[in-house]
């Protein structure tokens, strides 16, 4: 499922688009919204969404100005506006699609279906339906089933894989390199140092922070800014 953010200075605009997406489309999850451009910039850089629905005409900062200030730029940009005269400028700024308000349901469906068809996550999900995970370890190469993995933990330039039956492997790649190899519907990077198998989460624990109790009784930490998205991911398992 692709993560999306809606940025619009009018709350009614956000709520309307959110309802339309949730009622009439599939494959898109709204993970954050913002009525203020600065908060929108923070949301984009924190959540790193695959899709951003952005209003062009906002009083404090235009959508074009906002785009110049974000660090994370790897997303499909869909402008939403009531002003058709912005269309040419939007196209020149590399906008993926352009929705005029009031938003037409059929145009929204076409837009989202096109995004989903071109999404790299679609290929990743296909690849990991039956695929094994290849690990380069000290004495050779091994292959493990994704469903046997409980969690991954960063250890310098290495990654420790914790599997069922108390099996542990140390792989000669860092955590960042493994992240795109894993099925995003099954695995979630809950912290800078941890990737967990969502199907192995047994309980959430609040004790001087937020932790996930896993099936092996380990408790990797959940980053504060990841809490809301983590809960949404669990609901979809």
């Amino acid at each position: 499922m692709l993560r999306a953010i809606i940025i619009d200075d009018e709350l009614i605009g956000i709520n309307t688009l959110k309802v339309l997406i949730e009622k009439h489309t599939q494959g898109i999850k709204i993970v954050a919204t913002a009525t203020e451009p600065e908060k929108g910039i923070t949301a984009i850089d924190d959540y790193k969404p695959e899709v951003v629905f952005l209003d062009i005409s906002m009083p404090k900062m235009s959508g074009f100005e906002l785009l110049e200030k974000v660090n994370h730029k790897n997303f499909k940009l869909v402008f939403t506006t009531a002003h058709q005269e912005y269309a040419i400028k939007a196209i020149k700024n590399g906008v993926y699609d352009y929705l005029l308000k009031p938003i037409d349901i059929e145009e929204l469906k076409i837009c989202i279906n096109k995004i989903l068809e071109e999404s790299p996550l679609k290929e990743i999900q296909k690849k990991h339906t039956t695929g094994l995970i290849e690990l380069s370890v000290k004495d050779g190469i091994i292959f493990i089933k994704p469903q046997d993995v409980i969690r991954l933990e960063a250890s310098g330039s290495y990654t420790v894989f914790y599997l069922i039956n108390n099996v542990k492997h140390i792989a000669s790649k860092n955590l960042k390199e493994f992240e795109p190899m894993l099925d995003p519907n099954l695995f979630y990077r809950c912290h800078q140092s941890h990737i967990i198998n969502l199907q192995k989460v047994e309980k959430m624990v609040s004790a001087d922070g937020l932790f996930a109790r896993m099936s092996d009784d380990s408790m990797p930490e959940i980053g504060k800014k990841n809490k809301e998205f983590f809960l949404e991911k669990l609901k979809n398992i």
Side-chain angles (χ1 to χ4, degrees), residues 146-162:
Q147 60 267 31
D148 289 345
V149 179
I150 296 173
R151 63 188 180 93
L152 294 72
E153 183 175 347
S155 179
S157 59
Y158 295 88
T159 299
V160 183
F161 277 72
Y162 293 88

Side-chain angles (χ1 to χ4, degrees), residues 15-195:
N15 291 338
T16 299
L17 180 55
K18 190 170 185 287
V19 168
L20 289 176
I21 290 172
E22 291 174 348
K23 277 191 174 183
H24 301 285
T25 70
Q26 294 181 338
I28 296 280
K29 182 69 177 179
I30 306 301
V31 296
T33 63
T35 55
E36 297 179 17
E38 290 294 343
K39 290 184 178 179
I41 292 169
T42 300
I44 290 173
D45 289 337
D46 283 351
Y47 284 92
K48 296 178 173 55
E50 287 82 31
V51 186
V52 173
F53 295 93
L54 176 62
D55 186 19
I56 296 178
S57 181
M58 296 182 286
K60 294 182 180 179
M61 183 189 304
S62 73
F64 300 112
E65 292 171 322
L66 182 149
L67 291 172
E68 294 176 358
K69 297 187 177 185
V70 295
N71 294 316
H72 173 70
K73 299 180 184 293
N74 187 24
F75 55 81
K76 299 291 188 185
L77 173 63
V78 180
F79 272 136
T80 60
T81 182
H83 305 284
Q84 193 166 8
E85 62 268 23
Y86 288 122
I88 295 176
K89 187 175 180 181
I91 292 170
K92 289 182 178 179
N93 276 266
V95 66
Y96 182 79
D97 209 339
Y98 188 97
L99 297 174
L100 280 175
K101 298 177 182 178
I103 292 173
D104 180 81
I105 294 174
E106 292 306 315
E107 288 186 2
L108 177 63
K109 286 181 180 179
I110 291 170
C111 170
I112 289 180
N113 286 338
K114 186 168 64 171
I115 290 172
L116 292 172
E117 282 299 316
E118 297 179 9
S119 168
L121 287 185
K122 183 177 180 181
E123 294 304 316
I124 291 173
Q125 289 164 2
K126 286 180 181 178
K127 183 173 69 175
H128 293 296
T129 301
T130 57
L132 298 175
I133 301 172
E134 178 182 320
L135 301 184
S136 296
V137 295
K138 187 176 181 180
D139 55 352
I141 296 176
I142 61 173
F143 298 89
I144 59 176
K145 297 177 182 178
Q147 60 267 31
D148 289 345
V149 179
I150 296 173
R151 63 188 180 93
L152 294 72
E153 183 175 347
S155 179
S157 59
Y158 295 88
T159 299
V160 183
F161 277 72
Y162 293 88
L163 312 183
I164 59 175
N165 301 321
N166 294 316
V167 175
K168 182 172 76 172
H169 294 295
I170 299 176
S172 56
K173 287 183 180 179
N174 62 41
L175 196 65
K176 185 177 180 180
E177 292 179 86
F178 279 111
E179 190 172 6
M181 301 179 189
L182 303 170
D183 183 348
N185 289 323
L186 183 62
F187 292 93
Y188 176 57
R189 188 163 188 172
C190 62
H191 186 274
Q192 184 177 354
S193 300
H194 302 287
I195 294 177

